[in-house]
């Protein structure tokens, strides 16, 4: 049986597994190569440096959330309902990432600290999705804003407590859902106002 | 000349100075006593433990902001204008604390990590001030909400990026004022809506 082709995706999967097992301080490219049964040279052919590999695996982790949310952006229907679903799904996704596998979450927080550019791109992605929903609301006559992109950024900032990792310890607190709903309602009223 | 009376306020002033000089890891009650020219027993008569002293000095630091803001709550005038001034003043106060004396700010962040209760009381204070302004807006007919206290909490959460210390590194970024204004406008429209 010929060996499976070494794809970037297979390398990234193995990298996440190695990070989960050894933690971000100890995980090396040699560990990743060993897990795949290949030479570390083969890994370096796809990712030229250890930093590039770590950045790519972080981007993949963040992109999982963006992809989930893009489905909501692509649906039809009233913009306020879609915005509500989008904000709820973002909070849920982040809450699950933090709560279901706290060690891996902490690992990614370390990686994110190493490569600010990845987070900036992630935030840009999410704000672009929000802008699309808000523009739809303006077309439908339910949202009112002269600048959907500026307002999208304001909505993202205003809901930070429910998606920014610096608040992760709060997400398991009783009452956090009520807090989220109060901010979401305020934001939706602001868009309609 | 008789020695100055040893008041809690004088002890707290000296404690802040000692914290500034030695940092939170090294500062001791003996250092505070020495700075005041008294025995450490005299300090312990006012603050029964080192933890109590550290909590009190943290509370005093946070209360400086609450007191500044309470002046805005007490003024007359349209609620939206007062809310705008209050949010702007809170952002300014936090920004100055973080930017003018970053080492002392870092010291207080450490102290805050030690005593969660102090921050909870501070947040409760600030949310109560916001509730007062929102209630005034409801009476004046400019704000609409069935529950001013819930909405006050939502306003506080929604503006967290501009007062929560976890965002302090962002406060010197160009564009932060525009970001603040966009969130403030969204929140004000939400209250009017």
């Amino acid at each position: 049986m010929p060996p499976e082709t070494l794809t970037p995706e297979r390398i990234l999967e193995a990298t996440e597994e190695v990070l989960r097992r050894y933690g971000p301080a100890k995980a090396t490219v040699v560990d990743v190569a060993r897990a795949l049964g290949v030479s570390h040279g083969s890994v370096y052919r796809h990712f030229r440096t250890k930093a590039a590999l770590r950045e790519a695996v972080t981007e993949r982790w963040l992109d999982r959330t963006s992809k989930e949310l893009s489905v909501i952006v692509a649906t039809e229907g009233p913009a306020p309902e879609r915005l509500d679903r989008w904000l709820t799904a973002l909070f849920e996704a982040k809450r699950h990432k933090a709560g279901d596998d706290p060690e891996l979450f902490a690992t990614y927080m370390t990686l994110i600290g190493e490569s600010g550019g990845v987070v900036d791109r992630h935030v840009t992605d999410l704000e672009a999705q929000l802008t699309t929903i808000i523009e739809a609301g303006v077309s439908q006559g339910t949202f009112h804003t002269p600048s959907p992109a500026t307002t999208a950024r304001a909505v993202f900032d205003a809901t930070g407590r429910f998606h920014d990792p610096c608040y992760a310890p709060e997400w398991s607190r009783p009452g956090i859902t009520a807090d989220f709903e109060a901010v979401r309602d305020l934001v939706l009223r602001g868009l309609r106002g």
Side-chain angles (χ1 to χ4, degrees), chain A:
Chain A
M1 199 173 78
E4 255 187 281
T5 316
L6 190 64
T7 59
E9 181 57 24
R10 278 192 63 215
I11 294 171
L12 293 174
E13 264 169 38
T15 304
E16 183 165 293
E17 196 43 45
V18 163
L19 282 165
R20 192 194 301 271
R21 207 179 310 153
Y22 301 111
K26 289 189 186 158
T28 66
V29 174
V30 171
D31 294 326
V32 174
R34 191 177 298 132
L36 289 161
V38 303
S39 72
H40 64 274
S42 310
V43 174
Y44 281 124
R45 261 194 293 282
H46 290 276
F47 298 97
R48 299 178 65 90
T49 61
K50 182 179 167 182
L53 177 57
R54 287 162 84 100
E55 194 168 309
V57 78
T58 309
E59 191 150 41
R60 176 174 168 270
W61 184 72
L62 293 169
D63 280 353
R64 264 181 243 160
T65 303
S66 322
K67 273 179 201 154
E68 263 179 64
L69 295 171
S70 69
V71 176
I72 298 169
V73 178
T75 56
E76 302 285 316
E81 208 178 288
R82 256 195 294 166
L83 186 66
D84 181 357
R85 280 174 52 212
W86 192 92
L87 292 171
T88 305
L90 176 59
F91 183 28
E92 278 304 303
K94 297 276 170 174
R95 193 148 55 154
H96 276 144
K97 274 183 171 172
D100 297 349
D101 196 341
E103 281 187 26
L104 191 66
F105 189 76
T107 290
Y108 277 114
M109 288 308 104
T110 305
L111 263 56
I112 277 172
E114 290 172 6
S115 54
V118 178
V119 173
D120 288 347
R121 282 198 293 280
H122 179 58
V123 170
T124 303
D125 274 1
L126 295 181
E127 288 179 0
Q129 294 191 10
L130 272 175
T131 303
T132 304
I133 299 176
I134 293 171
E135 281 169 347
V138 171
S139 301
Q140 293 166 359
T142 42
F143 289 162
H144 301 92
T145 167
S147 168
T150 303
T151 303
R153 191 175 171 83
V155 171
F156 193 74
D157 285 351
T159 53
R161 184 170 208 94
F162 312 102
H163 56 70
D164 194 311
C166 85
Y167 291 108
E170 313 246 321
W171 296 339
S172 48
R173 255 192 15 199
I176 190 75
T177 301
D179 287 347
F180 166 73
E181 289 169 356
V183 169
R184 178 205 58 193
D185 290 352
L186 181 66
V187 161
L188 280 170
R189 282 204 308 275
L191 287 164
R192 281 184 169 119

